[in-house]
Amino acid sequence: MKMNRRFLLTILLLLLLPVIGRAQTRESLSLTPQMGWSSWNNFQGNINEDIIKSIADAMVASGLKDAGYTYINIDDCWHGKRDADGFIQADPKHFPHGIKALADYVHSRGLKLGIYSDAGSETCAGRPGSLGHEYQDALQYARWGIDYLKYDWCNTTNVNAQGAYQLMRDAIQAAGRPIFFSMCEWGDNHPWRWAKGIGDSWRIGPDIWCSFDSTHVFPTYIQCSIIDCINRNDSLRSYAGPGHWNDPDMLEVGNGLSVNQDRAHFTMWCMMASPLILGNDVRNMSDETKAILTNRDLIAIDQDKLGVQGLRFLIREGLEYWFKPLSNGDWAMTIFNPTRQSLSCSLNWQDFNLTDKEVSKRSTAFDQHVYKIKNLWTGRMEGKTTLKSKIERKVSVPAQDVITYRLIKQ
């Protein structure tokens, strides 16, 4: 009887090991916030396989791939019908060669392919949702070679959010392929409180739209401006970290904002350790847009292995002072001007002696340590901090723009 029990326990362990291994592998996908591109902000439902292929080509040719952008994500409207056995198929008109062939092409370019579904009966655009087909859909994605799943929250009346996302998480693990799991639940059920270990990232609010400071109000929903997203995310920093990220939504850089606004938008997403999912047409970028999106100094702030979301330490005379601790003892500092007029300030480093008690337990300690100052948008070194209280410099921050430093510990 004891031998039988040992034999059964051994068999059970052997069966469980692949599942455990898959879970560990999936978590390793999100040690830093994800970087890539999504079709929705620019193309919405007007997508097809040729567009996706051309975007993949442009990601490589433009240097975005080399800068770290990995995922090519197809958002809503790729779906066709389910087959006789219930397995989802691609829209045959717009994806005539199927998703597997498209995944093979994207992989051949050294990139990864993402896809979209919904926890409800239908997607937001009325295509088949995954409700009741979670294990089938996850298996289909694995067969196709999918690397990323954005999972939306439309048409979910009487569906329990935590249960629905955990169910799809389990289905992905059972399918046997590591797939990044991006939860798009809009923050309705406060996912930051329960989603760690379920999703790799979770949306913290409604959809973004291409506006710096104006909320878009509809009868039944809203779209958030960049400022809205920042303000919603600021209070949630204790929930973010390696393997689990707050997601204030995709980037609108290159979609019609001013260069100043684009620079501020990108900077604040990096300061908040947010996913960097591009939403512009990367086949037709201005030089200014490309320079912003490929700024390796800023990307390094976002991708820092310490994985701490930045904090808004001080608001004074219209300017916001943000700090983000970095893995090697450095700090990122951003002076953010959200207003519509240029503002100036006088910097005294002793005003910024702070301790991040909530997350990292790290202190700037400007009264004890000297830092070299690198301006991350000009690329220039701008001297050092000092240990005593005095006005170091006067700084002017243009309207809706930023000045960002890397403070390099000596």
Side-chain angles (χ1 to χ4, degrees):
M1 189 68 177
K2 289 182 179 179
M3 288 296 294
N4 287 341
R5 285 178 180 172
R6 287 176 185 167
F7 178 76
L8 289 172
L9 286 171
T10 301
I11 294 297
L12 181 61
L13 180 60
L14 289 173
L15 290 171
L16 286 174
L17 279 175
V19 176
I20 296 169
R22 286 195 294 269
Q24 292 172 336
T25 303
R26 185 186 67 79
E27 289 170 2
S28 70
L29 296 175
S30 52
L31 294 178
T32 58
Q34 67 268 37
M35 296 176 62
W37 176 90
S38 173
S39 60
W40 187 256
N41 283 2
N42 190 270
F43 295 96
Q44 297 190 348
N46 300 313
I47 52 171
N48 58 55
E49 63 182 41
D50 291 335
I51 289 175
I52 301 302
K53 287 181 178 180
S54 66
I55 291 292
D57 293 341
M59 294 283 282
V60 176
S62 66
L64 287 168
K65 171 182 173 289
D66 289 341
Y69 297 94
T70 300
Y71 295 102
I72 304 289
N73 296 338
I74 312 170
D75 211 281
D76 206 347
C77 298
W78 65 266
H79 304 73
K81 296 180 179 179
R82 296 189 180 277
D83 66 16
D85 296 319
F87 285 94
I88 191 66
Q89 306 297 313
D91 183 326
K93 179 179 178 181
H94 296 104
F95 296 87
H97 297 96
I99 302 298
K100 176 64 168 65
L102 187 55
D104 290 344
Y105 184 85
V106 170
H107 292 157
S108 76
R109 306 298 281 145
L111 298 163
K112 298 180 180 181
L113 187 67
I115 212 163
Y116 165 99
S117 190
D118 190 285
S121 56
E122 293 182 343
T123 71
C124 298
R127 304 298 178 98
S130 288
L131 183 64
H133 295 273
E134 291 84 359
Y135 276 79
Q136 279 187 308
D137 288 356
L139 181 59
Q140 187 77 306
Y141 304 154
R143 288 170 175 170
W144 287 342
I146 295 300
D147 305 293
Y148 187 111
L149 173 63
K150 175 184 173 182
Y151 204 48
D152 219 335
W153 189 238
C154 285
N155 301 299
T156 50
T157 302
N158 297 324
V159 177
N160 176 272
Q162 183 171 350
Y165 283 96
Q166 186 165 331
L167 178 59
M168 181 53 83
R169 186 278 314 270
D170 293 345
I172 291 170
Q173 290 184 3
R177 181 179 177 81
I179 295 176
F180 190 104
F181 191 27
S182 171
M183 296 172 47
C184 183
E185 179 270 350
W186 319 320
D188 285 357
N189 295 278
H190 304 104
W192 46 88
R193 295 178 180 171
W194 48 263
K196 181 180 177 180
I198 297 176
D200 296 293
S201 66
W202 48 80
R203 282 275 300 280
I204 54 92
D207 289 355
I208 196 171
W209 77 295
C210 194
S211 172
F212 194 79
D213 58 5
S214 298
T215 308
H216 207 178
V217 180
F218 297 90
T220 58
Y221 67 100
I222 66 170
Q223 290 178 319
C224 288
S225 68
I226 291 159
I227 295 294
D228 291 332
C229 293
I230 293 169
N231 290 337
R232 284 174 176 265
N233 200 25
D234 179 40
S235 63
L236 304 178
R237 59 186 303 266
S238 65
Y239 297 98
H244 50 281
W245 305 102
N246 292 318
D247 179 5
D249 207 1
M250 299 170 286
L251 291 162
E252 292 284 5
V253 176
N255 282 340
L257 298 172
S258 71
V259 173
N260 288 14
Q261 292 170 336
D262 275 348
R263 182 167 44 243
H265 178 15
F266 188 74
T267 298
M268 295 311 299
W269 261 234
C270 292
M271 289 294 293
M272 297 189 299
S274 302
L276 299 180
I277 301 297
L278 311 181
N280 60 313
D281 187 345
V282 298
R283 302 170 303 178
N284 301 292
M285 288 188 293
S286 68
D287 291 341
E288 292 87 354
T289 296
K290 180 180 175 181
I292 290 169
L293 296 178
T294 57
N295 184 318
R296 292 176 182 267
D297 285 331
L298 264 296
I299 292 171
I301 300 303
D302 180 79
Q303 296 289 295
D304 184 77
K305 293 181 180 180
L306 190 63
V308 175
Q309 183 171 316
L311 68 147
R312 179 162 42 192
F313 171 66
L314 176 66
I315 301 175
R316 185 167 61 190
E317 297 179 350
L319 293 173
E320 300 183 6
Y321 298 83
W322 288 71
F323 288 83
K324 184 180 191 297
L326 305 175
S327 56
N328 60 351
D330 294 355
W331 286 80
M333 175 188 179
T334 290
I335 308 171
F336 174 41
N337 180 2
T339 76
R340 299 187 180 191
Q341 60 184 355
S342 179
L343 296 175
S344 297
C345 65
S346 298
L347 287 184
N348 180 343
W349 295 107
Q350 303 311 314
D351 290 343
F352 307 116
N353 285 308
L354 66 94
T355 298
D356 176 18
K357 297 179 182 179
E358 185 180 25
V359 181
S360 70
K361 316 305 180 187
R362 287 263 309 277
S363 299
T364 55
F366 288 111
D367 58 344
Q368 300 175 41
H369 304 299
V370 173
Y371 299 84
K372 289 183 180 179
I373 305 166
K374 183 178 182 181
N375 187 314
L376 300 189
W377 282 112
T378 66
R380 294 195 297 265
M381 300 302 298
E382 298 187 358
K384 299 179 181 180
T385 64
T386 59
L387 298 177
K388 56 185 178 180
S389 180
K390 68 175 185 177
I391 301 299
E392 299 290 338
R393 67 188 66 206
K394 290 188 177 181
V395 175
S396 180
V397 188
Q400 299 179 330
D401 205 343
V402 293
I403 291 176
T404 299
Y405 301 120
R406 185 177 186 117
L407 305 175
I408 304 167
K409 189 176 179 181
Q410 298 295 282

